[in-house]
């Protein structure tokens, strides 16, 4: 989950690297560092600056002891091996101090390698697994850097993205990918590398999204791409249209708040070209899975992690209701370890914001090995998941920087709804009038989201009152039925991620089987109680939920209910209500999650938590 940035070219290298690290700090913020090489004729000097904690500490170290150089690498760390400290911060050096390595990933056999290197006389300065790579390169007897790297790679077990420079082989950065994501940028007389595109989009839009098994050599003359046997590969640059300003805060105090308010746009962009109100049809923009092929699948497996897993759970209700297709949902981290039963009659759907989540990628490969077709839903153009799957659907949410996912989640729900609708129409399981109503509701969603956010901004009294009343609570319970249960899980996750309040999501109908024991006057309970009045099943669920509300209030619990606009029945029973516009049952989650996101954000602010960079978490989980 660490962030890597590198640059070689005519610009001042330190500002370029620091700028990139600031845009990648969401990937790790335990420590940071950079290394640059300054060349004067035949004299070359490699210098390193590192600091524990946030990037501001590294900037302070550079202000006290400035650096200049012609090319270099930077790193922001999320610790896996070795405690967060200046000593363990990247970049890491060999004994001579002439070779440096930055690394995202885990070297699984580092202890055996370290013992071997210690026996050969190498001196280690850190507790990390990364340092062994620098010493292995040192032992390659002065080979050119890329040749030394190719000699060392077969000895490394695990997953890794590497950036490497050597003062002995000047003007060159070598980059390697075996698992975690790496993006290389090509400019005019300059080259860039980063863990994620927003770090370098201010400088170039021409990007190489590296594949596993790729090595790239970056110089001022350009970028060359090789496999791990040293054979040159085609460069295959992609022009990326993302506006880099989209990754800035845009006047908001935090990225999370900005991204919450970008949800109307994210949902709208995720619908463009995929629905037609006039024709009452849904369309997919990746034709690699044809309608004929989609009709043949007998079951669907959905695999995801974290917030994407909650979207997958909601998607199960959409697919089974609209397409009448049986669905199983798995955690990416568990999927391949249970030896799932799959064959060519199954479609495996993999959901990931980054498209680089290690467990989800491993699940894709497991599904493919068992003969299943694979379809990816992700937010990152050029991601490995999108490239390895048989087909892919982009969510078009734009860059999401806040660690706690918001707009990516609602965009995922939107694309899942379109896909379920499309499959329902292909399979003949969705009557025309129902499809037309659903498509019209989808088209109305961005406007409803905008109206909801504007209302909450304009009249924040209830949210503010809730924060004042409950910010010192140590526990919250979130309850929902049916498709609203996954939103209870997601609401609880948002609260625990950024405010550090323990929160649990639970099916409301299971309260009698244990959780009722927790309820007292100190426990706030959040109910997802919005419903579709035109849907008899939704109305029945709503009535059962109101019974649960009464159970909680009878035991002294404080109820916060998410309800339909104008629902006086629920308002009379709850201590507090937050209302959302009416919508079909399957689309209500896209509206319900918004006040829960804002509530979590405001709790975190009140408690003095770091909203965008919560402790111990990183944006993209690129290691198992």
């Amino acid at each position: 989950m660490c962030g890597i940035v590198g640059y070689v070219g005519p610009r001042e290298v330190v500002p370029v690297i620091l700028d990139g690290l600031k845009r990648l700090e969401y990937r790790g913020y335990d420590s940071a560092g950079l290394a640059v090489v300054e060349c004067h004729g035949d004299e070359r000097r490699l210098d390193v600056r590192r600091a524990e904690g946030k990037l501001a500490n590294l900037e302070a170290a550079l202000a006290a002891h400035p650096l200049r150089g012609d090319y270099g690498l930077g790193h922001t760390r999320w610790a896996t091996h070795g405690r967060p400290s200046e000593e363990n911060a990247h970049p890491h050096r060999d004994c001579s101090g002439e070779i440096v390595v930055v690394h995202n990933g885990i070297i699984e056999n580092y202890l055996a390698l370290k013992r071997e290197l210690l026996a050969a006389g190498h001196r280690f300065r850190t507790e990390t697994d990364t340092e062994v790579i620098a010493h292995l390169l040192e032992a390659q007897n002065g080979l050119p850097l890329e040749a030394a790297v190719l000699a060392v790679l077969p000895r490394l077990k695990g997953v890794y993205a590497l950036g490497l420079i050597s003062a002995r082989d000047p003007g060159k950065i070598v980059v390697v990918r075996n698992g975690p994501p790496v993006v290389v940028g090509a400019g005019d007389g300059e080259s860039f590398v980063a863990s994620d595109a927003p770090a370098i989009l201010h400088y170039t839009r021409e990007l190489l999204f590296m594949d596993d098994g790729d090595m790239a050599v970056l110089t001022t003359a350009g970028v060359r791409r090789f496999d791990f046997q040293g054979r040159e590969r085609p460069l295959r640059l992609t022009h990326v249209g993302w506006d880099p300003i989209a990754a800035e805060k845009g006047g908001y105090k935090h990225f999370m708040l900005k991204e919450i308010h970008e949800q109307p746009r994210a949902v709208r962009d995720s619908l463009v070209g995929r629905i037609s109100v006039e024709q009452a049809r849904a369309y997919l923009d990746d034709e690699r899975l044809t309608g004929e092929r989609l009709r043949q699948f007998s079951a669907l497996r959905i695999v995801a992690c974290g917030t994407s897993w909650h979207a997958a759970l909601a998607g199960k209700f959409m697919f089974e209701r609209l397409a009448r297709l049986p669905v199983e949902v798995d955690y990416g981290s568990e999927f391949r370890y249970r030896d799932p039963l799959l064959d060519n009659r199954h479609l495996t759907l993999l959901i990931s914001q980054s498209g680089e989540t290690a467990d989800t990628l491993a699940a894709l490969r497991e599904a493919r090995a068992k003969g299943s077709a694979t379809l990816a839903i992700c937010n990152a153009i050029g991601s490995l998941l999108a490239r390895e799957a048989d087909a892919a659907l982009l969510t078009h949410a734009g860059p999401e920087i806040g660690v706690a996912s918001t707009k990516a989640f609602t965009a995922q729900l939107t694309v899942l709804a379109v896909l379920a609708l499309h499959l329902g129409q292909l399979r003949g399981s969705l009557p025309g009038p129902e499809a037309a109503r659903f498509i019209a509701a989808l088209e109305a969603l961005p406007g409803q989201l905008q109206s909801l956010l504007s209302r909450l901004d304009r009249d924040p009294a209830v949210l503010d009152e809730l924060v004042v009343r409950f910010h010192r609570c140590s526990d919250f319970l979130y309850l929902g039925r049916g498709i609203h249960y996954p939103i209870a899980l997601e609401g609880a996750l948002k609260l625990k991620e950024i405010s550090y309040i323990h929160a649990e999501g639970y099916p409301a109908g299971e309260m009698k089987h244990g959780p009722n024991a927790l309820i007292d006057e100190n426990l706030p309970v959040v109910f997802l109680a919005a419903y579709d009045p035109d849907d008899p099943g939704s109305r029945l669920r709503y009535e059962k939920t109101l019974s649960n509300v009464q159970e909680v209030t009878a035991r002294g619990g404080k109820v916060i209910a998410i309800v339909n606009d104008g629902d006086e029945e629920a308002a009379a029973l709850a201590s507090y209500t937050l209302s959302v516009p009416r919508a079909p049952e399957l689309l209500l989650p896209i509206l319900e999650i918004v006040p829960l996101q804002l509530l979590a954000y405001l709790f975190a602010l009140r408690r003095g938590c770091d909203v965008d960079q919560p402790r111990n978490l990183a944006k993209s989980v690129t290691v198992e």
Side-chain angles (χ1 to χ4, degrees), residues 188-403:
D188 185 9
E190 58 186 355
S191 301
F192 306 81
V193 61
S195 295
D196 204 354
I200 56 177
L201 281 179
H202 280 263
Y203 305 102
T204 180
R205 302 289 187 87
E206 303 303 318
L207 303 182
L208 166 67
F209 293 93
M210 292 180 66
D211 289 329
D212 277 352
D214 270 357
M215 179 180 74
V217 180
L218 284 60
T219 66
T220 55
V223 178
R224 299 179 69 189
R225 176 176 175 242
F226 301 87
D227 63 19
F228 282 6
Q229 285 71 49
R231 297 177 295 233
E232 190 152 5
R233 287 177 165 177
L235 194 55
R236 284 201 337 243
L237 295 176
T238 299
H239 179 81
V240 174
W242 277 359
D243 180 357
I245 301 302
E248 303 293 344
K249 290 182 184 175
Y252 289 93
K253 187 174 183 179
H254 295 95
F255 281 113
M256 182 180 179
L257 186 60
K258 171 179 177 278
E259 288 156 4
I260 288 171
H261 283 80
E262 287 178 333
Q263 288 177 114
R265 193 271 312 153
V267 169
R268 183 178 295 110
D269 288 354
S270 297
L271 289 171
V272 168
R274 289 172 170 159
I275 59 169
S276 169
V277 175
E278 293 78 13
Q279 298 178 17
R281 298 290 304 177
Y283 305 94
L284 300 187
D285 46 10
D286 191 321
E287 297 178 354
R288 287 176 289 177
L289 277 179
T290 65
E292 180 181 354
R293 181 79 177 96
L294 286 169
R295 275 190 291 268
Q296 294 173 357
F297 295 123
S298 60
L300 181 63
R301 301 288 184 268
I302 313 180
V303 183
C305 301
T307 284
S308 297
W309 186 75
H310 298 155
L313 285 179
K316 174 184 174 70
F317 289 89
M318 297 176 185
F319 288 112
E320 293 192 341
R321 170 77 177 268
L322 299 179
R324 308 308 297 163
L325 194 64
V327 178
E328 288 185 18
V329 179
D330 277 89
Y331 283 111
S333 57
E334 296 290 336
F335 182 71
R336 63 194 173 117
Y337 297 110
R338 72 175 182 87
D339 192 19
L341 300 175
L342 293 170
D343 57 36
N344 60 9
R345 296 168 299 172
H346 296 90
L347 174 63
T348 302
L349 176 61
L350 305 114
I351 309 174
S352 167
Q353 187 280 138
S354 67
E356 302 288 353
T357 304
D359 289 320
T360 308
L361 285 166
L364 179 145
R365 292 160 186 161
E366 176 76 9
R368 192 170 54 200
K370 291 179 176 292
S372 172
T374 56
L375 173 62
I377 292 178
C378 61
N379 190 42
I381 186 172
S383 67
L384 196 57
L385 189 72
R387 285 180 283 147
E388 287 199 8
D390 295 324
L393 299 174
L394 292 178
T395 51
H396 301 301
E400 187 177 67
I401 305 303
V403 168

Side-chain angles (χ1 to χ4, degrees), residues 14 18 48-51 55-68 86:
V14 171
L18 283 176
V48 173
R49 298 285 185 273
R50 303 183 299 187
L55 193 56
N57 296 341
L58 176 62
E59 292 181 290
L62 286 164
H65 302 284
L67 280 182
R68 292 182 64 87
E86 180 180 346

Side-chain angles (χ1 to χ4, degrees), residues 333-487:
S333 57
E334 296 290 336
F335 182 71
R336 63 194 173 117
Y337 297 110
R338 72 175 182 87
D339 192 19
L341 300 175
L342 293 170
D343 57 36
N344 60 9
R345 296 168 299 172
H346 296 90
L347 174 63
T348 302
L349 176 61
L350 305 114
I351 309 174
S352 167
Q353 187 280 138
S354 67
E356 302 288 353
T357 304
D359 289 320
T360 308
L361 285 166
L364 179 145
R365 292 160 186 161
E366 176 76 9
R368 192 170 54 200
K370 291 179 176 292
S372 172
T374 56
L375 173 62
I377 292 178
C378 61
N379 190 42
I381 186 172
S383 67
L384 196 57
L385 189 72
R387 285 180 283 147
E388 287 199 8
D390 295 324
L393 299 174
L394 292 178
T395 51
H396 301 301
E400 187 177 67
I401 305 303
V403 168
S405 182
T406 52
K407 64 176 180 175
F409 177 67
T410 48
Q412 287 170 352
L413 290 175
T414 302
V415 173
L416 285 165
V418 172
L419 179 58
L421 177 64
H422 181 66
L423 284 170
Q425 292 184 313
L426 283 175
R427 293 166 59 84
S429 58
L430 189 61
E434 186 176 343
R437 176 177 180 254
F438 196 76
I439 289 171
L442 273 171
E443 187 182 51
L445 263 180
Q448 289 181 310
L449 282 167
Q450 188 62 64
S451 174
L452 175 59
L453 282 163
S454 297
R455 181 206 311 166
L456 291 168
D457 288 343
R458 190 171 56 249
D459 185 16
V462 176
L463 286 172
D464 290 344
E465 185 179 354
L466 286 169
V467 172
V468 171
R469 172 71 174 79
F470 296 117
H471 74 277
R472 290 191 178 90
C473 291
S474 58
D475 300 280
F476 267 71
L477 190 59
Y478 287 68
L479 301 173
R481 288 174 176 265
I483 197 172
H484 308 272
Y485 165 55
I487 308 311

Side-chain angles (χ1 to χ4, degrees), residues 476-480 487-489 491-492 495 503-506 526 528 596 599:
F476 267 71
L477 190 59
Y478 287 68
L479 301 173
I487 308 311
L489 291 172
L495 188 68
E504 184 176 0
Y506 218 79
V526 180
L528 281 300
L596 300 185
L599 196 59

